[in-house]
Amino acid sequence: MSSKLEVNKNDMHSIVKSFPQLLRHSSLDVRLREQLAEMRDDRPTGICFIGMGGSSIAGGYVATSLADTSRQPIAVVRDESLPEYIGQGYVSFVVSYSGNTQETLDAYEILAERGCHTVTMASGGLLSKKKADCFIRLPPGFPPRGALPAMFGALLQATQTILGVPTTDLNHMAEEINLAADSWGGNLSKPAALAEWMRGRIPVFMGSRHLYPVAYRAKCQMNENAKTEAFASPFPEATHNELEGFTEKRAGSFAIVLLKSRAEGATNAKRLDIVAEILSSAGHDCTIVTASAPTQMGEMLELTYHLDLTSVELADINGVDPLSVPKISALKKRLK
Ligand code: F6R
C-alpha cells in the first residue's frame, strides 16, 4: 500500500474526509497479489474474516459484497473462539489494526493449530510478527475505525484474488463516491444537517442485505465518535419484533434512519415506506436515506462515508472529542 497520504491523523474530521483517498491508496501491490494467487491455486473451500470492532467492519463489507456471487461460504467472526467448521481448506483473514487485540490474537492461535491458510493484516503489534501465508501492512497512525477504507480495499482485492475473480478498481470506486457526495443536499441531506436532526436523540439505523453492515458501522461510529447510544437493526427482520417496541411512550427519543437501496426489491421498498409511516404515526422521528451511487458497492461506501461524516458532526454538536475512546482504552488496559 502506498504511504503518501494527505491526512491529519490527529483530527477525526480530517481522517473521515480522507475516505476516498484512503480507498484509492489501498490497492494491493504485485508481490501481495502473487502470494494471494498461490492460495487460490489450493482451491479454498471457504473464507473467514476475524477481527473486533473497527477491524471487523471491512470483513463484513467484503462478505456482503461477494455473497451473491461466491460459491464458497464466507464467514465473519467477531469473537475469540471460532466455529468448528473453520479449518483446513479455509483461508482466514485475521485483522487487527493495532495488532494487539486479545480476542483476535487468541483466534489466530486456534487457526494456527487447525492448519488454515492465514492472511494477517495489521499496522504493527504482535499480529504483524506472527507466521502467516501473507501479511498485509496497514498505514500506521490511524484510529482503527478511521482506517476502514484502507482495510476494505485491501481485503476486497485479496479475497477476489483468492477466489479467482476480477479485482475491483478502487480508483473507480473512489470516483463513484466523490461524484455521489457532490449530490448530497438533494435526496440525501448533507451530513451536518442529518447530525443536527439527530441532536439529543438516540440514532437507530436499519438496513437490509448489503445495507445492514452499513447500519452496523454507522451505529459503531455514533458510539465511538459522537459518544452516544446508538443501535442497528437488520431489515426486514426488525419488522417482526422491534417495530412493536417503538411505542408512543418514548416518542421523540430516537432518530430512526432507514437505509434504502435504489435497487430495493418492490416488496421491501414498500415495506420500508410503510414502516416509516407507522413509526411516524407513533410520534417517532424517522427518515429514509437513499444513496445516489449507481452500484451496490458504491451505495455501501457512499452511505458509510456520509454517516461517518455525520458521526463527527454529531460529536461537535455533543461537545465531545471524536478521536479518544477512554472507556474502550480503560477496559483494554485493565485486561492486559
Ligand atoms: C478504535 C476502534 C475499536 C478497535 C477495536 C479492536 O478506533 O475502532 O473498535 O477497532 O477495539 O482493536 P484493533 O482494531 O486494534 O484490533
Side-chain angles (χ1 to χ4, degrees):
M1 270 185 236
S2 164
S3 56
K4 284 178 227 139
L5 284 166
E6 281 166 34
V7 49
N8 176 0
K9 294 173 191 164
N10 296 315
D11 174 13
M12 192 55 103
H13 284 266
S14 171
I15 292 169
V16 169
K17 278 188 192 129
S18 73
F19 194 110
Q21 187 195 165
L22 262 179
L23 185 65
R24 219 179 281 121
H25 277 72
S26 61
S27 243
L28 295 178
D29 62 30
V30 176
R31 187 186 51 87
L32 280 172
R33 283 175 198 254
E34 283 170 1
Q35 287 175 357
L36 292 158
E38 278 175 33
M39 277 179 257
R40 175 193 62 212
D41 297 341
D42 287 346
R43 297 179 177 271
T45 52
I47 303 282
C48 170
F49 297 104
I50 298 160
M52 303 300 294
S55 290
S56 75
I57 303 291
Y61 277 30
V62 175
T64 305
S65 302
L66 302 181
D68 289 344
T69 50
S70 171
R71 286 168 184 243
Q72 285 95 331
I74 307 182
V76 179
V77 177
R78 295 176 164 103
D79 199 4
E80 57 204 343
S81 67
L82 295 176
E84 199 53 41
Y85 64 80
I86 294 167
Q88 271 188 6
Y90 263 70
V91 173
S92 292
F93 289 89
V94 188
V95 185
S96 168
Y97 183 83
S98 64
N100 291 326
T101 295
Q102 171 261 316
E103 294 94 327
T104 313
L105 290 168
D106 285 358
Y108 167 89
E109 296 305 334
I110 299 174
L111 286 174
E113 274 170 28
R114 291 188 190 172
C116 276
H117 274 313
T118 307
V119 181
T120 49
M121 180 186 258
S123 64
L126 294 173
L127 187 60
S128 68
K129 298 188 179 74
K130 300 278 183 191
K131 198 168 159 262
D133 295 281
C134 178
F135 170 60
I136 302 174
R137 187 175 290 282
L138 292 163
F142 286 87
R145 60 192 180 283
L148 170 65
M151 295 194 233
F152 172 73
L155 278 188
L156 177 68
Q157 289 194 336
T159 310
Q160 289 169 325
T161 306
I162 288 169
L163 293 178
V165 297
T167 53
T168 300
D169 178 348
L170 299 173
N171 283 322
H172 177 79
M173 287 317 302
E175 209 41 54
E176 203 173 293
I177 303 167
N178 277 329
L179 273 175
D182 287 342
S183 71
W184 294 346
N187 71 326
L188 176 52
S189 57
K190 287 192 189 293
L194 192 64
E196 190 52 46
W197 176 76
M198 289 174 177
R199 182 191 281 269
R201 288 175 297 152
I202 297 172
V204 177
F205 301 91
M206 294 188 194
S208 52
R209 300 182 63 245
H210 63 292
L211 297 185
Y212 175 64
V214 177
Y216 182 70
R217 160 70 171 186
K219 165 218 123 56
C220 297
Q221 290 290 76
M222 298 299 154
N223 296 148
E224 292 182 65
N225 293 346
K227 317 284 185 284
T228 175
E229 304 89 341
F231 299 94
S233 313
F235 201 89
E237 169 62 13
T239 65
H240 295 272
N241 33 64
E242 204 169 306
L243 178 61
E244 209 57 49
F246 285 102
T247 61
E248 284 81 354
K249 231 174 21 196
R250 290 201 212 285
S253 309
F254 302 100
I256 305 164
V257 179
L258 303 177
L259 304 178
K260 188 177 189 178
S261 170
R262 273 149 51 104
E264 208 72 67
T267 311
N268 214 38
K270 188 170 173 190
R271 193 181 275 124
L272 279 159
D273 293 341
I274 297 171
V275 165
E277 276 172 37
I278 293 175
L279 290 171
S280 301
S281 58
H284 288 283
D285 300 295
C286 181
T287 187
I288 293 182
V289 158
T290 312
S292 56
T295 62
Q296 180 170 308
M297 196 180 286
E299 282 189 337
M300 291 178 77
L301 298 175
E302 179 196 349
L303 289 175
T304 305
Y305 183 32
H306 187 287
L307 294 168
D308 279 10
L309 289 166
T310 304
S311 73
V312 288
E313 293 288 348
L314 192 60
D316 286 351
I317 290 172
N318 290 348
V320 295
D321 172 13
L323 204 54
S324 71
V325 281
K327 295 191 180 74
I328 296 171
S329 306
L331 171 66
K332 287 185 182 181
K333 207 164 161 193
R334 286 175 66 178
L335 280 172
K336 249 185 192 168

